[in-house]
């Protein structure tokens, strides 16, 4: 570590800090993502807990260091758990991350996301279509896949960040992170990443691990989380040719990649 | 492609068409299958969406190109979502596929499957014990595994297809597909396939991707889906000796296998 | 096999018997574990069925040869299914295994586990913090991870076994099994095992497969289940360097490991 606060918030340094702290992160995520997201968290060095039932989600949010909420397979019971946990996190001053999966697809999702947004997430992570639609513009996603480019979502991301006072991350062929004032691109990854289900959902959980580590610097924490994925994804993509092998090597590399390798492989470019 | 409509419905041609179209398929499946089924769909070239809550399952069924329903871990909430989605698919003229997992095991499952059958699935895919029991005959399955041979289920499959006006696929050591008039065997695969959980459930989702691509030819679409699995399974089985490695290579091969390789490796035999 | 009843209950012999019998085991487990637990069961040679809905969980418990209950993502619906199934298993004389995941974390979990304990599990399997807390002592776990050593949980495990008349298994860096009278350590495994999510939950299901095979010898059955994991884990750990690859090889080895190799690699040490 260094005395320079900017230097100490470089992705590699934050990764080292996250691994030292091994933060307990509560994830209310979807049924497709639960296993891979927990494996991604463990490999990267965090401590995941999937706790969503309304009977205990709020009590647990006060114990965990951060919370992530993903609406991928939302139902009324899970929605109650999400709201209870987000409120408890807010009252306890814990950061939380919102993943508005395909929120534009049905009226049920749209209204659920509107309620969750009102509970003031610290970070929103989505694909381009999700972020564009969340900003109130016209998106062209179908189902859970993005139909828009990240570049076309940058203005929407900034508007959303300013409106809700949060960090917004748009992930895709290259990533974009903004807090409304500062913006960066994060470059790296592999074209095989969208061929493995729920890696975006898993990244949302990793953002939770980094904001748990640096709760006062959610912008830098989000950039570091995306840089970890970009580096591990790029290194895995150099070795694997197809999605099954890629997923295995990606998990390996989340554990094996060093802080220095993250800083060397992932490119963080101010824009 | 060719002008010959039969030629153009060969499994390899249908696989190429499916990959070009990248169909959005709604899958209401079980908790064991959700992750692997989504990975199978992405690897093969389809766009899966796991949407099951009664609050939105019907609305989404009108958006998706096909629907698949699997009762593996059915509960009242999921059952409501299944019925809502199947009705919406029917009204929108979208094909849907039923996977009656272990429907003979409990009275709850039996009555749920009877209600779903009344909603007129386009295709039914099951193991031999499931298809025999669904036709009203005595099966010897235990739990989710088949206790009967595919050969012993052929007559039941034909009767079921004629009774419900649908395609019936019996999968196992070799597969059998019938619409009551035409019947084929699909040969290939690997003895390791039953050692990986939920590959049958994932195949049901793949049938959904092919009937979304060729909704007017559900027999050919079902054969093509089974041929893709037979080819990728056989190729993966030549390289892997045990179930963990097999699952990884099988996902790779679903992405890597060419249409020509499917036609060369999977044997489709009229019977 | 041998006429010596002690010899015939060695882990390797019990593994051979389990594979011959291919027991049907009902698992009410958490959403994170469902897929990997089913794959672990299939690889090892058992027949898993994930059946939890209250509408059918009791009916199915009378069909299955054993039941396992894991509260990892418990909710009221699942809790009803658990109680119904545990009662039915008890009435049918079928053994059942309890996995009290993080039961100390919230009041909802604490009260749920108290009710399940009253239904008399045959075996309890947990990490050190879970077992210490279950015995009423002060544990230092956070979330789902153990904050205590297995050694520090031995007295609690014995007290718990005597109080409830059951077998207690504490798993971790080395395992400890006791029925209150007899106690053994099971040595083996790999430091990568805690880096793969839900392997402990999957082990609970494997204990179910072994108690289904030797219902009159739950102590020996539990030791054999742990020995299988210790042997497969140790062998996989010799080949894999990181969690993604380890998980794949571990599944392979659960299928490939011979009874003799289990007896040679896993060390069972009376204490």
């Amino acid at each position: 570590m260094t005395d320079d606060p900017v230097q100490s918030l470089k992705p590699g340094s934050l990764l080292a800090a996250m691994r030292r702290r091994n933060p307990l992160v509560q994830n209310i995520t979807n049924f497709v993502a639960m296993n891979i997201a927990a494996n991604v968290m463990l490999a990267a060095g965090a401590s995941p807990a999937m706790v969503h039932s309304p009977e205990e989600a709020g009590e647990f949010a006060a114990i965990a260091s951060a919370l992530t909420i993903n609406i991928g397979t939302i139902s009324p019971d899970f929605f109650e758990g999400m709201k209870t946990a987000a409120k408890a996190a807010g009252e306890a001053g814990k950061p939380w991350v919102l993943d508005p999966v395909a929120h534009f697809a049905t009226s049920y999702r749209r209204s659920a996301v509107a309620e969750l947004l009102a509970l003031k997430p610290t970070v929103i992570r989505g694909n381009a279509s999700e972020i564009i639609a969340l900003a109130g513009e016209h998106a062209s996603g179908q189902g859970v896949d993005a139909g828009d480019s990240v570049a076309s979502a940058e203005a929407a991301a900034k508007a959303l960040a300013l409106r809700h006072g949060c960090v917004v991350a748009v992930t895709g062929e290259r990533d974009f992170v903004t807090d409304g004032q500062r913006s960066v691109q994060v470059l790296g990854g592999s074209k095989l990443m969208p061929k493995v289900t729920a890696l975006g959902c898993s990244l949302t959980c990793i953002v939770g691990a980094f904001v748990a580590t640096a709760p006062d610097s959610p912008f830098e924490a989000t950039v570091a989380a995306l840089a970890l994925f970009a580096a591990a994804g790029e290194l895995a993509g150099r070795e694997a040719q197809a999605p099954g092998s890629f997923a295995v090597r990606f998990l390996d590399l989340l554990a094996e990649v060093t802080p220095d390798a993250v800083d060397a492989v992932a490119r963080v470019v101010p824009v």
Side-chain angles (χ1 to χ4, degrees), chain A:
Chain A
M1 304 290 284
T2 163
D3 287 350
D4 175 359
V6 174
Q7 173 68 18
S8 70
L9 291 173
K10 283 184 67 173
S13 298
L14 277 170
L15 173 61
M18 190 275 281
R19 285 176 174 164
R20 277 195 304 273
R21 177 157 173 189
N22 184 32
L24 178 65
V25 180
Q26 178 181 4
N27 304 296
I28 306 182
T29 189
N30 63 72
F31 297 123
V32 181
M34 282 195 195
N35 183 273
I36 182 68
N39 274 327
V40 160
M41 294 286 275
L42 288 172
S47 179
M50 274 54 186
V51 177
H52 47 74
S53 188
E55 283 72 16
E56 61 175 0
E59 186 177 347
F60 201 86
I63 300 170
S65 296
L67 165 72
T68 75
I69 292 178
N70 173 305
I71 67 161
T73 55
I74 192 169
S75 62
D77 282 353
F78 269 65
F79 187 34
E80 283 308 308
M82 290 172 186
K83 288 186 288 187
T84 301
K87 281 176 196 158
E91 287 163 10
K94 308 285 179 72
W96 74 278
V97 186
L98 174 63
D99 190 334
V101 181
H103 66 93
F104 50 77
T106 67
S107 55
Y108 179 58
R109 266 161 215 257
R110 276 189 296 275
S111 65
V113 160
E115 285 194 56
L116 292 169
L117 269 179
L119 296 172
K120 299 189 172 301
T122 312
V123 184
I124 301 170
R125 190 213 66 81
N127 66 33
S129 296
E130 288 158 356
I131 297 302
I132 290 171
L134 210 56
E137 301 169 25
H138 181 72
S140 49
Q142 81 159 1
V144 300
D145 297 321
D148 302 278
S149 70
V150 171
S152 68
E154 294 189 2
K158 283 184 195 173
L160 204 57
L162 289 171
R163 191 186 309 156
H164 294 283
C166 65
V167 173
V168 175
V170 191
T171 60
E173 76 280 6
R174 61 171 180 62
D175 303 332
F176 177 78
V177 185
T178 184
D179 63 3
Q181 311 292 340
R182 292 172 297 170
S183 302
V184 297
Q185 289 183 356
V186 182
L187 308 179
S190 158
K191 65 179 170 31
L192 286 171
M193 295 180 88
K195 291 291 184 182
V196 179
T197 197
L199 286 197
C201 307
S202 301
L203 175 51
T204 295
C205 300
I206 289 288
V207 172
F210 278 89
V211 296
T213 303
D216 296 329
S217 306
F219 177 78
E220 289 81 0
T222 302
V223 170
L226 271 52
L228 171 61
F229 253 51
E234 181 153 333
L235 294 170
R238 292 178 190 167
E239 298 177 41
Q241 311 300 321
S245 308
F246 177 83
V248 173
R249 282 304 292 148
F250 180 64
L251 279 177
D252 282 354
L253 278 157
L254 286 173
E256 292 174 342
V257 70
T258 61
D260 284 348
V262 168
D263 288 335
V265 175
R267 280 84 70 201
V268 179
V269 183
V271 287

